[in-house]
Amino acid sequence: MKVRFSFPKYTLRSRLFTLVAATFLLCACVILLFFPLLNLTLEGLLDRTIQTMRKSQEAEATTISRLLVLEFSQLNELLLVAPGEENDVDRRIKNLIWQKVTFNEIIEGIELIAGKADPQGRHLTYMFYRREAPELPPMPGPQKVMKQFEGLEKELLDFLNEKHRVDRLLLESVNRGSKKEGEMLLRYLPVHVLMPEEGAIYWGVAKIGIDTATISSLLLLQSQEQQRIRWAIWLEIILSLTVAGLLALGLLSLWARRLTEPLRELGAVSRSLGAVRPREFDLWLENLKRVETQDQAEAADIKNSLIRLGEALPRLGQRLLATERQASLGKVAQRIIPPSHAWITRLLSLETEAQQARQGNGVFRERRRLLTSLDTGWQDLARFGGAPSPTWKMVDLNPGLLSAWRLATLGAPAGTRFIQHIEPLPQVWGSPHDLEHALLYLVEFIGDLAPPEGELALRAESPAEGMVRITFEVSGPPFSLESCQQLLNPLQATSDFRERLGPALAAAVAEQHGGTLEITPRPQGGLVLILALPQAPIRHESFDPYI
Amino acid sequence: MMTDSRLFLVVILVGALLLPLGCGRPPEEVSRRVLTFTDDGPTREIIRFLGKESQLSGYRDFDRSFKGLLVPESLLPFEPFVLGLSTESKVPAVLLLDAPWVQRYGAAGWLYELERTNIFLRNHLAPAVAEAFSVAVPRPGGPPIQELVAVPTQIKGNILFFRQDLLQRYQVPPPRTWEELRAACRKILPLEKSLKHGLLFHYTNFVNDFYPILWGFGGRVIDDRGRLVLHRKGNLSAAVAALSEIRSLQGGIAPGPKELAQFEAPGSLRQAFYRGEALFMINWNTRLNDLKELIRKGEGRSPGALVNLNQVGVAPIPCQTGQPHRYANVGSFGWGVNRFAVTSPEVIADAKRFINLVADVEFQLLAARIQGQVPSLESALKRLEHPEVQQLYRDAFAVTDMRLRARPQSRRVNNTLEKHLLEAINGQRSPEGAFEEIIKELRGLKADD
């Protein structure tokens, strides 16, 4: 199943901020990728430094050894040495190498190896090692020995004795791994004794051990320094990212807030449209006009559209009200027509009967009743057909209520039971035209809703709290509370209630006058509609409506 | 309130101000590499001349590119370069070496091959001298090859000077063999009263004169690998014959033991020859220039003395009858490259530039003009304008049977030979006895064989 990522319903500002934060984190991760690279670079630097230091130390070792060889080249007695008992020459040579090893911290040991070997392959060797390593026993002093060399060292010495120069590969091989002399860098150099009479005479090989502790300590220092650099750079990266992140998020937050402010305000104004009351509509429109678009084209377009819509809505409402009024009148008129026709037919019949004088007084009374009914019906209808007037004044609802009730009962289905309890109602403050039409919308609605053999009830009363309350009850199928609410919001209702605008218009008129219209289910089935209006205070008599 | 654009500008400005914090000082430039070489007076003199006269910038900027290390003459007997090269010292990078040293150092592998590395091509040199500065270099998977390891700046060797005017007068050709020399002397000496000696040779450093005589008898003291071979039968008999030949000339033709002492002083041979006292003289070819100077100055001129350089002829030192070659003991110096100094291609390039400067045609022609040196370059020899130098090359070094050979490099060998040869020509010991003593003293070297 394909999972599709979607943002929760957050504001555009939150989304922008989240996206910016995510982008910054991504960038930070990319930047942090440099740390492994930095590690690699530092490792490379460390390797190169180690190599350089090793080369430097090797060069230093060679130089020191070369200087020693230069000293040995002045030692003419070397040409006189021979195996056997120790003599003055041996003692002088041993003394010299003791001095060199003892008084030079760099030199760990010296071997002077004569080039010629005896039949057993042993070379006359003068040797002395300082042996500071704890695992090696100290040497009692310089030695004169016949020493036999083996392996790579022997190969190197043979090469040196034959070619009078060092084989680099062999030298490197000899220096690899641990050595019995201790951990030291070994240098093998040919020794020529310089004689003024005979020139440079090859004597043998000087094997010189150079201390490696210096490089070890330097490497340790280097490693510590590398670690310090690594931590410092890591800290700098984190610090930089933190500062950059705070700066970026702070600035971007400001920018995002500023950027989304017009849209946010438009959204808030749009959202408030659902809750705005008709008398607050002009205020809502004014608020909409005050939204600052900050020269954003999209926000300006939305704002202009909303303004146009807002300005059109009242006109549409007026048109809707007028249309619904006409429709209600039409329906009521349509309801009057059948009884009126029946009355007229009866009147014509009574006219005939009167000419025949078969029923003198009785016909006259019935004729008078019919004419009265006909007149009352049309007068009731005419009450609601007048031109609308915007003037507000003290309104007596009683005549209008009776007219409306009569019109409702006039066209009710056959067998409908009418219950009425009408108390004289006090006056209210408002538009007579709108209030009477509100009553007309309600009676037209319940009259239309009443089923055959049903029940229609009207109760008009004035409770003590200063309200005028008019209650209509109509029998019928059971209604839910939701259905009742939909009657008050027909534009959001399902198709069943979409065309029933009467209750909603009546509710709007009631609200315009500070009252309410409640629609609730009737326990026995049907609906109960309660129109409540405030009684008119005396001080309102000389004032116009405030909207 | 700050607008967006201003805020952006502030951020950019702060960033720009922080940028320099990440920039440290650039590393200091490493000083330019300079090639080191062994400095010597004659080379310095020519360089100074060319620095003024030549159009080549290399001579004018010579001291900027190359660092000369002067080697005191007192150190030379100790062979100071042996210590440096055997211990792989990188300094000096280019060395001016005597021919025997070139052989020794080249054989030890201390000198860089010049042909293989295209630093200098052997065919630019006169063949006689190129051979003396080449050594047998081991080759992987094949026999050793002769490889040029130093570039000689001149051809120098001991040759036979003779009185050309007298030989022409008595219609005697320059002698090729000792027999011919002896015959010429027998013919001319009685007729020319000013001549006191038929042949003059060096009393001090006689060994230098003796080597080409010995080689002309087919003998060797050491072989091409530096091993002592004097004790071998053919060499020993040749050596005894050569020394006997010289001994036989003493008294009648050459100065006898009692007269030799008068030739101990430096320059005594050429002075005697200049005074017209000798028909033949064995000496270094550079003495022709000295004779020219003596003739020009005319100091102490006596009846019979030389008045014109045309009176002097040159030829190779005679050989034994039947021998194919005549020899000269090469005294040239050559520029070799220290193998251990070659640590990068740049060093090779610098060494090549240096050698091409000090072995340049102009360099050698100038040396021929002011020092009388015989150029070693073929191209310089073709452009020679000095008749005496042309004569030296044409009549001595370019002779087809002439060979230049380096004496043994071992001072011990040379000193031993010198000591006992002097005993022989002083009449203190017979030739056989002298060489018996020589072989006995060099027994240690013989054991190395």
Side-chain angles (χ1 to χ4, degrees):
Chain A
M1 182 179 172
K2 190 175 180 180
V3 178
R4 187 175 173 184
F5 174 78
S6 65
F7 261 109
K9 289 183 179 176
Y10 293 134
T11 60
L12 178 61
R13 180 178 298 173
S14 306
R15 290 180 178 213
L16 275 175
F17 196 73
T18 308
L19 282 175
V20 165
T23 307
F24 180 78
L25 284 176
L26 187 65
C27 293
C29 289
V30 172
I31 290 170
L32 286 176
L33 281 179
F34 284 98
F35 194 68
L37 292 177
L38 173 72
N39 266 335
L40 287 176
T41 308
L42 285 177
E43 288 297 326
L45 180 65
L46 183 63
D47 289 344
R48 284 195 297 277
T49 309
I50 290 170
Q51 289 296 329
T52 307
M53 288 168 70
R54 282 194 175 138
K55 279 185 182 173
S56 171
Q57 202 205 20
E58 287 187 357
E60 189 183 1
T62 305
T63 304
I64 291 168
S65 305
R66 194 180 289 142
L67 287 171
L68 276 178
V69 165
L70 183 64
E71 285 204 57
F72 297 145
S73 71
Q74 311 298 323
L75 202 61
N76 298 349
E77 291 91 336
L78 281 174
L79 296 174
L80 306 175
V81 298
E85 290 298 316
E86 192 170 294
N87 53 32
D88 288 342
V89 172
D90 298 327
R91 279 190 284 278
R92 189 178 166 205
I93 294 170
K94 284 164 64 176
N95 187 34
L96 180 64
I97 66 171
W98 183 85
Q99 289 172 15
K100 294 298 169 194
V101 174
T102 305
F103 297 107
N104 194 328
E105 290 183 7
I106 300 295
I107 299 169
E108 288 279 295
I110 297 174
E111 288 186 43
L112 289 178
I113 306 158
K116 291 177 186 172
D118 67 4
Q120 288 81 39
R122 299 177 304 172
H123 294 258
L124 173 61
T125 304
Y126 296 92
M127 57 185 290
F128 180 56
Y129 286 97
R130 200 163 60 233
R131 288 184 182 275
E132 287 175 345
E135 69 274 13
L136 295 171
M139 279 184 80
Q143 310 285 312
K144 177 191 177 186
V145 294
M146 293 303 291
K147 188 174 179 183
Q148 194 151 25
F149 296 90
E150 296 171 346
L152 289 171
E153 191 174 34
K154 183 178 186 307
E155 284 182 38
L156 179 58
L157 288 174
D158 290 345
F159 185 90
L160 265 160
N161 285 322
E162 185 185 351
K163 304 283 185 184
H164 301 182
R165 63 185 173 95
V166 185
D167 184 315
R168 281 270 158 207
L169 287 175
L170 278 173
L171 180 65
E172 283 184 17
S173 303
V174 169
N175 266 316
R176 267 186 228 123
S178 58
K179 296 171 275 292
K180 59 181 179 298
E181 296 87 352
E183 272 310 311
M184 60 184 77
L185 190 62
L186 294 175
R187 280 286 173 272
Y188 297 77
L189 291 176
V191 175
H192 290 80
V193 178
L194 300 184
M195 303 287 288
E197 305 275 324
E198 302 184 34
I201 299 171
Y202 181 75
W203 178 80
V205 178
K207 175 183 171 185
I208 296 157
I210 304 293
D211 180 30
T212 54
T214 313
I215 194 169
S216 302
S217 60
L218 281 175
L219 286 176
L220 181 65
L221 282 175
Q222 177 77 9
S223 174
Q224 289 172 344
E225 192 58 29
Q226 296 276 346
Q227 194 61 28
R228 263 198 294 278
I229 290 173
R230 193 175 283 118
W231 277 111
I233 293 177
W234 174 247
L235 188 67
E236 283 169 13
I237 288 177
I238 295 297
L239 202 62
S240 302
L241 283 177
T242 307
V243 172
L246 289 174
L247 199 62
L249 292 179
L251 290 176
L252 289 170
S253 169
L254 286 175
W255 289 335
R257 185 182 292 274
R258 186 174 174 76
L259 191 68
T260 56
E261 186 61 20
L263 197 60
R264 190 193 64 78
E265 287 185 7
L266 284 173
V269 171
S270 303
R271 194 165 53 249
S272 67
L273 179 61
V276 77
R277 294 178 177 181
R279 62 184 177 189
E280 298 167 344
F281 191 79
D282 286 344
L283 183 61
W284 175 85
L285 197 58
E286 188 62 27
N287 287 339
L288 177 63
K289 287 177 180 173
R290 284 181 183 175
V291 171
E292 180 60 52
T293 59
Q294 297 180 5
D295 298 331
Q296 293 181 18
E298 298 88 344
D301 289 345
I302 294 170
K303 177 184 171 183
N304 291 336
S305 300
L306 283 174
I307 289 172
R308 286 174 60 190
L309 187 63
E311 288 172 347
L313 272 178
R315 291 196 293 274
L316 283 171
Q318 290 296 332
R319 291 287 301 272
L320 184 66
L321 206 61
T323 307
E324 186 62 20
R325 187 186 303 131
Q326 295 298 326
S328 296
L329 275 175
K331 285 181 182 176
V332 172
Q334 197 175 17
R335 198 174 290 167
I336 289 176
I337 289 171
S340 298
H341 186 260
W343 292 338
I344 291 169
T345 307
R346 181 60 186 158
L347 280 172
L348 291 173
S349 166
L350 288 174
E351 189 71 27
T352 307
E353 286 176 9
Q355 288 175 355
Q356 293 171 354
R358 286 181 301 191
Q359 296 177 359
N361 292 333
V363 171
F364 180 77
R365 281 195 300 273
E366 187 178 0
R367 182 169 168 265
R368 187 173 186 84
R369 182 184 62 80
L370 287 172
L371 283 171
T372 302
S373 298
L374 196 61
D375 180 53
T376 303
W378 285 107
Q379 278 186 8
D380 288 341
L381 190 61
R383 170 181 288 276
F384 298 105
S389 167
T391 308
W392 280 40
K393 57 186 178 184
M394 299 299 288
V395 181
D396 181 7
L397 290 176
N398 295 303
L401 178 62
L402 288 173
S403 294
W405 178 249
R406 279 194 295 269
L407 288 172
T409 55
L410 194 62
T416 303
R417 196 157 56 90
F418 301 105
I419 302 168
Q420 69 176 64
H421 172 75
I422 300 175
E423 295 178 1
L425 296 175
Q427 289 183 322
V428 296
W429 175 258
S431 166
H433 181 269
D434 288 347
L435 289 170
E436 287 177 355
H437 275 86
L439 295 173
L440 178 70
Y441 297 147
L442 293 177
V443 296
E444 187 273 330
F445 173 69
I446 60 171
D448 201 28
L449 203 64
E453 306 295 333
E455 186 177 285
L456 276 175
L458 166 66
R459 187 165 60 252
E461 54 193 351
S462 175
E465 59 266 30
M467 293 294 292
V468 172
R469 188 162 66 193
I470 302 168
T471 306
F472 297 96
E473 288 189 27
V474 60
S475 63
F479 283 84
S480 64
L481 274 175
E482 187 182 359
S483 304
C484 296
Q485 287 302 312
Q486 285 177 348
L487 288 171
L488 294 174
N489 297 293
L491 296 178
Q492 297 174 2
T494 58
S495 57
D496 295 342
F497 293 91
R498 190 166 293 165
E499 294 175 359
R500 298 176 188 276
L501 297 178
L505 291 175
V509 171
E511 192 172 351
Q512 189 182 13
H513 288 77
T516 58
L517 174 66
E518 288 181 22
I519 302 177
T520 54
R522 187 168 172 264
Q524 306 90 331
L527 290 171
V528 177
L529 295 89
I530 303 170
L531 176 67
L533 293 168
Q535 290 181 17
I538 296 172
R539 58 189 168 89
H540 281 170
E541 285 182 356
S542 57
F543 289 96
D544 286 337
Y546 60 90
I547 58 171
Chain B
M1 187 179 170
M2 194 178 284
T3 61
D4 288 357
S5 55
R6 282 185 186 172
L7 194 63
F8 183 70
L9 279 176
V10 168
V11 171
I12 293 293
L13 189 62
V14 170
L17 288 174
L18 288 174
L19 263 181
L21 294 177
C23 305
R25 283 175 57 198
E28 289 181 8
E29 195 176 341
V30 179
S31 61
R32 211 168 72 82
R33 169 178 39 84
V34 175
L35 191 84
T36 54
F37 68 99
T38 53
D39 210 347
D40 66 295
T43 305
R44 174 61 59 187
E45 185 185 3
I46 304 286
I47 293 290
R48 195 163 51 241
F49 264 100
L50 289 172
K52 293 175 185 171
E53 294 179 3
S54 174
Q55 300 298 318
L56 293 174
S57 62
Y59 294 113
R60 286 198 303 272
D61 302 332
F62 192 83
D63 289 333
R64 286 190 198 170
S65 306
F66 309 109
K67 182 80 174 175
L69 301 175
L70 195 63
V71 185
E73 201 167 340
S74 60
L75 288 183
L76 291 176
F78 291 94
E79 291 190 69
F81 301 136
V82 171
L83 281 184
L85 293 173
S86 69
T87 56
E88 303 186 356
S89 170
K90 295 181 178 63
V91 177
V94 185
L95 308 93
L96 185 60
L97 301 170
D98 197 359
W101 288 2
V102 170
Q103 293 296 322
R104 178 183 184 183
Y105 299 171
W110 297 340
L111 299 181
Y112 204 59
E113 297 92 332
L114 302 182
E115 280 185 272
R116 184 181 61 79
T117 54
N118 207 26
I119 291 178
F120 196 90
L121 296 180
R122 179 194 175 102
N123 56 14
H124 291 173
L125 295 169
V129 75
E131 190 65 27
F133 285 84
S134 302
V135 297
V137 174
R139 194 174 49 172
I145 55 167
Q146 284 293 111
E147 174 73 47
L148 188 73
V149 291
V151 179
T153 55
Q154 59 167 315
I155 304 176
K156 182 182 176 185
N158 46 9
I159 55 174
L160 184 73
F161 289 81
F162 59 86
R163 288 288 300 273
Q164 185 155 285
D165 55 337
L166 296 180
L167 261 63
Q168 284 176 350
R169 186 184 304 164
Y170 296 103
Q171 297 181 338
V172 176
R176 185 183 180 279
T177 64
W178 290 106
E179 285 299 322
E180 290 173 7
L181 183 140
R182 191 188 297 270
C185 289
R186 282 178 184 158
K187 183 175 181 180
I188 298 171
L189 283 180
L191 301 174
E192 292 291 332
K193 298 302 179 187
S194 61
L195 293 174
K196 292 182 180 177
H197 309 287
L199 172 69
L200 292 178
F201 50 79
H202 287 93
Y203 178 63
T204 53
N205 291 326
F206 171 67
V207 70
N208 281 330
D209 291 349
F210 182 72
Y211 274 122
I213 297 171
L214 170 65
W215 297 330
F217 275 79
R220 300 287 298 270
V221 177
I222 58 166
D223 65 4
D224 291 334
R225 297 173 61 187
R227 295 177 303 185
L228 184 72
V229 291
L230 178 63
H231 58 285
R232 290 183 182 164
K233 189 177 179 182
N235 290 326
L236 185 58
S237 59
V240 170
L243 187 56
S244 299
E245 181 69 42
I246 297 300
R247 281 289 306 272
S248 68
L249 294 175
Q250 283 184 285
I253 293 175
K258 291 180 181 173
E259 297 168 294
L260 283 174
Q262 61 183 296
F263 297 105
E264 275 188 77
S268 52
L269 255 68
R270 57 178 177 271
Q271 287 285 350
F273 193 78
Y274 162 68
R275 290 193 299 268
E277 295 174 1
L279 183 59
F280 295 99
M281 175 180 70
I282 295 175
N283 215 328
W284 299 105
N285 62 280
T286 50
R287 298 298 170 239
L288 187 63
N289 199 47
D290 297 335
L291 288 173
K292 182 182 172 185
E293 280 297 301
L294 288 172
I295 292 169
R296 186 180 65 78
K297 290 177 182 173
E299 291 175 358
R301 184 175 292 165
S302 59
L306 298 179
V307 293
N308 195 313
L309 200 60
N310 291 336
Q311 293 176 268
V312 182
V314 291
I317 295 171
C319 63
Q320 189 183 31
T321 306
Q323 290 292 333
H325 298 120
R326 288 177 286 177
Y327 291 90
N329 177 9
V330 64
S332 308
F333 278 63
W335 291 104
V337 178
N338 177 0
R339 172 184 294 280
F340 310 108
V342 181
T343 52
S344 66
E346 288 79 11
V347 177
I348 299 176
D350 286 350
K352 184 175 182 178
R353 198 156 58 88
F354 177 87
I355 287 178
N356 283 330
L357 282 173
V358 296
D360 182 61
V361 175
E362 297 299 328
F363 187 102
Q364 295 200 357
L365 289 175
L366 184 62
R369 178 159 65 90
I370 65 175
Q371 295 173 351
Q373 293 182 2
V374 180
S376 61
L377 288 174
E378 289 270 29
S379 52
L381 288 166
K382 286 176 186 167
R383 288 173 54 187
L384 269 179
E385 293 173 353
H386 306 281
E388 65 275 11
V389 182
Q390 285 177 328
Q391 180 192 8
L392 278 170
Y393 182 65
R394 183 187 63 239
D395 297 341
F397 298 118
V399 175
T400 50
D401 65 340
M402 172 66 156
R403 295 290 181 270
L404 283 165
R405 181 178 280 174
R407 64 192 177 281
Q409 51 81 21
S410 168
R411 279 185 177 273
R412 191 175 167 193
V413 170
N414 292 332
N415 291 345
T416 307
L417 253 71
E418 175 77 16
K419 183 174 68 175
H420 294 291
L421 287 175
L422 281 181
E423 288 174 355
I425 62 174
N426 279 326
Q428 298 164 347
R429 201 183 292 274
S430 67
E432 292 82 0
F435 280 102
E436 194 177 325
E437 284 300 313
I438 289 168
I439 290 169
K440 194 186 294 178
E441 276 196 30
L442 296 177
R443 190 171 293 154
L445 288 176
K446 185 185 164 192
D448 288 341
D449 189 4

